[in-house]
Amino acid sequence: MKLYYDKRLKDPTYYIQQGFRNGKKTTTKNIKRLGKHSELLLITDDPLEYAKNEVKKMNEEYRSGRSEFIVTMDFNERIPSTDSPCSNSTSLNIGYLYLKNIYAKLNLSDFFKSVSSDRKITYDCNKICQFLTYARTLDPASKYGTYDKLDTYYEKPQVEYQHMIRFLDILDRNSDKYLKHLFDNSENIVKRDTSVMYYDCTNYFFETEKPDEEIVDEVTGEIILGLRQFGISKENKTSPIVEMGLIMDSRGIPISMCIHPGNTNEQLTAVPLEKEVIKMTGNKKFIYCADAGLGSYNIRKFNDMGGRAYIVTQSVKKLGQEIKDIVFNDSNYRLLSNDDAITLKEMRTFNKKDANNLSLYNDFAYKVIPANTAMDTGLYEEKVYKNGRTKK
């Protein structure tokens, strides 16, 4: 290190410079500012001698392995990203190893071997499914976004993007077998309880202005409706949507699902999916639970056979007057936790700030109405026409 100052100036600024070698060239860089000549006069009578002593001191510290530098940086300044390897993160994702243990218990490698044994494919279906699953759980992105981040995983799987797309075709052709395999092997991870099943529908919109066109099968003449169609969006969007139905067990773990065009009446999706679930569970009895929108006459009729039962919610406003009077009559209500008698007035007026009433605060009140005679429950039979419209 050496001292640098401009000797031509009356009030020069003293710097300590260090030399660096860049290939065959050498360069110097100011590593410390000692101050102006006038500034150093405030602390010493000979600024030049003081500056030389500071350089000598830093050289001794540098040779002994000890040196102090004052670095000034702006933490608000953004560092631009470059293609240089030094600007890329070297951290690797190992958090997915926990999911890998769960994935292995599903025995999906055996499933993909069975469905691809008669195909001449050069890629590993199980590996593609594996990392698509990890990415969907840890860092949801598009298929290309997932492919672009594969090198951040510890194993760094060697997968080509075109193979990921082709794998989805295989998964689509075997979707029913895939869902059944997941259900059968999920017992290796968690115990399934299918005594009660919950079903509901939702839809997803797409950033496009046009729906998918209809396709006519040249052999059978069948009209295949495009998946993205205009329908009633849950998010009040005017874009084409796709409808999805999901059925879960009593613990809230999915059993199966279905995808339909966005203009499909959701009441027409329940029974076909239930038939698939009945095959998966070995014709076990269960209680079907859904909201009022999925409790049509045909659905209730189907779940009143084969030892099954159903529970559907219903708006009080749509109930018949006879049942309304019974509901609003403050008698025969009981607590869900212990069947103790209680009134709605007590539920509304108890002290919610009292710690002794915590169990009551978290409890529910219910009433059972015996249906010994015909009553207007507000549930009507719906007739579905060929154009998809319904009428009560």
Side-chain angles (χ1 to χ4, degrees):
M1 285 175 279
K2 65 178 183 178
L3 177 67
Y4 169 79
Y5 64 98
D6 192 344
K7 298 179 181 179
R8 298 171 296 177
L9 300 178
K10 293 182 178 180
D11 189 15
T13 302
Y14 297 97
Y15 295 95
I16 297 178
Q17 289 187 340
Q18 185 175 14
F20 297 93
R21 180 174 293 278
N22 184 9
K24 296 182 179 180
K25 298 181 179 180
T26 58
T27 183
T28 57
K29 183 179 181 181
N30 295 335
I31 61 173
K32 187 174 182 179
R33 180 183 182 276
L34 297 176
K36 291 187 175 182
H37 187 87
S38 58
E39 295 172 350
L40 296 179
L41 282 174
L42 299 176
I43 59 174
T44 181
D45 294 333
D46 190 350
L48 180 59
E49 187 65 25
Y50 170 81
K52 291 180 178 180
N53 290 334
E54 286 294 314
V55 173
K56 183 179 180 180
K57 181 180 177 182
M58 289 193 67
N59 281 327
E60 291 176 354
E61 291 178 349
Y62 184 78
R63 293 190 192 98
S64 63
R66 321 177 34 254
S67 58
E68 296 181 0
F69 297 93
I70 298 176
V71 180
T72 304
M73 61 177 61
D74 183 5
F75 289 97
N76 293 323
E77 182 182 0
R78 300 193 64 177
I79 301 176
S81 177
T82 65
D83 295 332
S84 174
C86 62
S87 68
N88 297 329
S89 174
T90 58
S91 300
L92 294 176
N93 185 347
I94 62 173
Y96 74 95
L97 296 178
Y98 174 77
L99 296 176
K100 187 174 183 178
N101 181 44
I102 300 176
Y103 185 92
K105 295 179 181 179
L106 295 174
N107 300 318
L108 284 170
S109 58
D110 296 337
F111 170 78
F112 286 115
K113 285 180 182 178
S114 64
V115 298
S116 60
S117 59
D118 58 342
R119 295 177 177 273
K120 296 180 180 180
I121 58 176
T122 58
Y123 50 89
D124 189 345
C125 292
N126 182 55
K127 181 179 290 187
I128 296 175
C129 180
Q130 195 174 354
F131 283 92
L132 283 175
T133 303
Y134 299 155
R136 178 57 56 182
T137 306
L138 300 175
D139 187 16
S142 64
K143 291 182 286 295
Y144 187 81
T146 300
Y147 166 77
D148 194 43
K149 296 180 180 178
L150 286 179
D151 58 347
T152 63
Y153 291 90
Y154 180 76
E155 295 178 74
K156 294 187 177 181
Q158 300 300 317
V159 176
E160 296 185 19
Y161 180 65
Q162 58 176 335
H163 293 159
M164 292 179 65
I165 302 301
R166 292 174 180 174
F167 159 76
L168 295 177
D169 292 334
I170 296 177
L171 189 64
D172 179 58
R173 296 190 194 100
N174 300 276
S175 58
D176 292 338
K177 295 179 182 178
Y178 179 72
L179 292 172
K180 187 179 187 310
H181 179 89
L182 288 178
F183 175 76
D184 293 339
N185 288 268
S186 61
E187 289 281 353
N188 300 331
I189 303 172
V190 62
K191 186 172 179 59
R192 305 300 296 268
D193 181 10
T194 57
S195 59
V196 179
M197 296 190 188
Y198 301 91
Y199 180 66
D200 201 2
C201 288
T202 188
N203 48 52
Y204 307 94
F205 72 92
F206 290 78
E207 296 291 351
T208 180
E209 297 179 356
K210 296 181 179 179
D212 292 340
E213 296 180 355
E214 296 179 348
I215 301 174
V216 180
D217 193 315
E218 296 180 355
V219 178
T220 63
E222 179 186 2
I223 299 177
I224 303 174
L225 190 65
L227 199 59
R228 295 178 295 185
Q229 298 292 331
F230 288 112
I232 302 176
S233 171
K234 302 282 186 179
E235 300 178 72
N236 298 320
K237 298 288 185 178
T238 57
S239 305
I241 59 176
V242 169
E243 186 175 88
M244 173 183 174
L246 180 68
I247 191 164
M248 303 182 298
D249 62 14
S250 61
R251 302 183 63 180
I253 303 175
I255 299 176
S256 187
M257 50 83 70
C258 58
I259 298 291
H260 297 280
N263 58 0
T264 304
N265 184 347
E266 62 181 19
Q267 294 187 357
L268 303 179
T269 65
V271 174
L273 184 60
E274 282 190 80
K275 291 179 179 178
E276 293 295 329
V277 171
I278 290 172
K279 294 178 183 178
M280 292 169 57
T281 58
N283 202 22
K284 290 184 179 179
K285 300 177 182 179
F286 61 85
I287 301 175
Y288 169 88
C289 298
D291 58 20
L294 291 164
S296 65
Y297 171 78
N298 291 329
I299 295 175
R300 287 181 282 119
K301 181 180 178 181
F302 178 79
N303 287 290
D304 199 27
M305 301 183 296
R308 295 184 299 276
Y310 63 88
I311 299 175
V312 293
T313 61
Q314 181 67 8
S315 171
V316 176
K317 294 180 180 179
K318 296 181 180 179
L319 294 174
Q321 188 60 40
E322 182 182 358
I323 299 185
K324 281 185 180 180
D325 296 338
I326 298 175
V327 169
F328 292 112
N329 181 11
D330 197 1
S331 62
N332 297 327
Y333 275 99
R334 295 185 176 276
L335 290 175
L336 186 62
S337 60
N338 53 19
D339 273 348
D340 288 347
I342 195 169
T343 63
L344 296 179
K345 182 179 180 180
E346 292 174 344
M347 292 290 288
R348 290 194 300 264
T349 58
F350 74 89
N351 187 4
K352 298 179 178 60
K353 297 182 180 180
D354 189 352
N356 296 325
N357 294 330
L358 181 61
S359 59
L360 186 60
Y361 180 81
N362 294 324
D363 213 334
F364 297 90
Y366 76 96
K367 176 191 288 191
V368 176
I369 303 174
N372 298 327
T373 58
M375 295 183 181
D376 181 8
T377 60
L379 297 172
Y380 302 95
E381 178 181 359
E382 289 189 349
K383 184 176 181 181
V384 181
Y385 295 97
K386 293 183 180 180
N387 60 4
R389 294 184 179 180
T390 59
K391 182 179 180 181
K392 291 184 178 180

